[in-house]
Amino acid sequence: MSKFLLPTLPYNENSLSPIISSATVDLHYGKHHQAYYTMLNNLIENSEYESMSLDEIVIKSFQEKQQKIFNNAGQAWNHNLYWNQMSPNGKTIIQSKLSSKIEESFESFDNFVQQFTTASLGVFGSGWTWLVEKDNTLAIMGLPNAENPLAYNQHALMGIDVWEHAYYLDYKNLRGDYVKAILENLINWDFVENRLS
Ligand code: MN
């Protein structure tokens, strides 16, 4: 019996196209995200981790340097947020508590997109770029591999996968174009706003 099951996507595999093609979603969600769940279930079987929530496993395996468990739990968690924060029609950011915080923290939405894209290009190799909320302000964090804000006791509002598997089919080596296209077309800002504390 598998303890954790891959959550269903909140939209059809072809509905993020052309920003993210159905071929990429099929591979990224159906193969990569699924594989992290399969590996995690295998690794925690009959261990102390078996009775924990996914959040608890991420935190504890990171603290205890259980690298294999952390890699798979972290990636399961990261991709859950990644898929859920997007919506097929995309949404332009509207005047809201979130847009005010973005303006306070980054001067403007365009400047935020620029800084987030630059941070994404600065992640060497595989990793993620995160928007985090801390001390009533917002910040951008680039982290390697499976690492996420939760592992560092920080609160993630949004995160973009910058592993090559996330963008190579659609954007080849143009990571910055991929990140900018998601920020400007696919992020469901209502969902992000709902994660504000
Ligand atoms: Mn990925």
Side-chain angles (χ1 to χ4, degrees), residues 28 75 79 128 161 163 165:
H28 194 184
Q75 286 290 71
H79 289 82
W128 291 75
D161 188 344
W163 286 54
H165 67 227

Side-chain angles (χ1 to χ4, degrees), residues 27-29 32-33 36 75 78-79 82-83 127-128 160-167 178:
L27 193 68
H28 194 184
Y29 169 73
H32 290 271
H33 197 182
Y36 297 126
Q75 286 290 71
N78 296 347
H79 289 82
Y82 180 76
W83 300 119
W128 291 75
I160 296 189
D161 188 344
V162 298
W163 286 54
E164 287 182 350
H165 67 227
Y167 61 88
Y178 149 80

Side-chain angles (χ1 to χ4, degrees), residues 4 52-61 73 77 150-151:
F4 292 108
M52 296 179 194
S53 69
L54 185 58
D55 283 36
E56 288 168 339
I57 296 174
V58 167
I59 293 165
K60 189 173 172 72
S61 62
W77 190 98
L150 180 61

